[in-house]
Amino acid sequence: MCRGGCAKCLGTTLIPLAVLCTLANILLFFPGGKVVENKLHITDEVWCFGGILGSGILMIFPALVFLGLKNNDCCGCCGNESCGKRFAMFSSIIFAAVGVLGAGYCFVLSAVALNKGPKCYTGSEWTYPFQDRNYLANHSLWSACQLPENIVPWNLTLFSLLLIMSGIQAVLCGIQVVNGLFGTICGDCTCCGCCG
């Protein structure tokens, strides 16, 4: 497989992940699946838009660049300096680095949100009741959150999905960094013997 074909495969995988991360972040604005009366009752990390900006919008740019790398004729222009395949592969490294940064931003925010727990009403105030306790291992602590209903499993599920998907995105962009490096040094196909 040519390096442009590998990049197209990575780009094709990144687009649905970016859409899913955006949707997960949007759902976090509706704690427990309900509209909140006061925006201050939403967990702070949701407002950092990790899934929308980091793993969503910032991931679309690398994905589109990766998809465009395959549009060049793989074997027909290798060795022709004017076609710019090596420069295109080099530029994909830069966009892959942007993707790694975006995915890393979402990954870190999700990890912080999972560690801190959701913001909820404890009967007296809206606070983070699990900030100093391990609520992930002790499900009996979840009853401390009275409102919104089911906020703990809601946040836990969506932030876990964001954590996993952004981790996958970072790995895929890392693969393209290596792929782009080989494509820059060696060319897309012929000089390394891929297309014979």
Side-chain angles (χ1 to χ4, degrees), residues 2-4 6-7 10 89 174-184:
C2 296
R3 283 161 186 61
C6 177
L10 294 173
M89 292 304 283
I175 290 170
Q176 180 53 32
V177 168
V178 174
N179 182 44
L181 187 61
F182 279 118
T184 302

Side-chain angles (χ1 to χ4, degrees), residues 1 67 100 135 153 155 171:
M1 179 194 295
L67 288 171
V100 169
Y135 75 102
N155 271 29
V171 169

Side-chain angles (χ1 to χ4, degrees), residues 78-154:
C78 288
N80 182 351
E81 298 297 328
S82 65
C83 77
K85 281 188 171 273
R86 290 175 195 247
F87 179 75
M89 292 304 283
F90 175 73
S91 68
S92 76
I93 296 172
I94 296 168
F95 280 95
V98 169
V100 169
L101 289 175
Y105 174 69
C106 182
F107 187 89
V108 169
L109 277 176
S110 300
V112 168
L114 285 171
N115 184 48
K116 191 161 96 172
K119 188 175 200 177
C120 62
Y121 184 69
T122 58
S124 58
E125 62 178 336
W126 286 87
T127 186
Y128 293 94
F130 310 121
Q131 213 162 359
D132 300 322
R133 298 185 280 179
N134 186 6
Y135 75 102
L136 296 172
N138 188 354
H139 294 218
S140 63
L141 294 175
W142 294 9
S143 60
C145 281
Q146 296 178 10
L147 291 173
E149 291 179 28
N150 300 318
I151 185 63
V152 178
W154 182 264

Side-chain angles (χ1 to χ4, degrees), residues 1-195:
M1 179 194 295
C2 296
R3 283 161 186 61
C6 177
K8 181 177 181 181
C9 179
L10 294 173
T12 304
T13 308
L14 286 173
I15 288 179
L17 286 172
V19 170
L20 290 172
C21 286
T22 302
L23 289 174
N25 199 144
I26 290 169
L27 287 173
L28 284 165
F29 282 105
F30 304 96
K34 297 187 174 97
V35 178
V36 293
E37 296 172 11
N38 186 341
K39 66 179 184 177
L40 297 174
H41 298 166
I42 296 174
T43 304
D44 291 341
E45 287 74 22
V46 177
W47 293 102
C48 294
F49 302 105
I52 295 172
L53 290 177
S55 285
I57 293 171
L58 277 179
M59 201 54 63
I60 293 296
F61 296 115
L64 293 177
V65 169
F66 300 167
L67 288 171
L69 290 174
K70 180 61 178 164
N71 290 339
N72 295 325
D73 181 19
C74 183
C75 294
C77 95
C78 288
N80 182 351
E81 298 297 328
S82 65
C83 77
K85 281 188 171 273
R86 290 175 195 247
F87 179 75
M89 292 304 283
F90 175 73
S91 68
S92 76
I93 296 172
I94 296 168
F95 280 95
V98 169
V100 169
L101 289 175
Y105 174 69
C106 182
F107 187 89
V108 169
L109 277 176
S110 300
V112 168
L114 285 171
N115 184 48
K116 191 161 96 172
K119 188 175 200 177
C120 62
Y121 184 69
T122 58
S124 58
E125 62 178 336
W126 286 87
T127 186
Y128 293 94
F130 310 121
Q131 213 162 359
D132 300 322
R133 298 185 280 179
N134 186 6
Y135 75 102
L136 296 172
N138 188 354
H139 294 218
S140 63
L141 294 175
W142 294 9
S143 60
C145 281
Q146 296 178 10
L147 291 173
E149 291 179 28
N150 300 318
I151 185 63
V152 178
W154 182 264
N155 271 29
L156 191 59
T157 300
L158 292 171
F159 276 119
S160 295
L161 285 172
L162 282 172
L163 186 79
I164 292 166
M165 290 187 291
S166 62
I168 292 170
Q169 287 175 327
V171 169
L172 293 176
C173 287
I175 290 170
Q176 180 53 32
V177 168
V178 174
N179 182 44
L181 187 61
F182 279 118
T184 302
I185 295 169
C186 185
D188 193 31
C189 299
T190 307
C191 72
C192 291
C194 302
C195 294

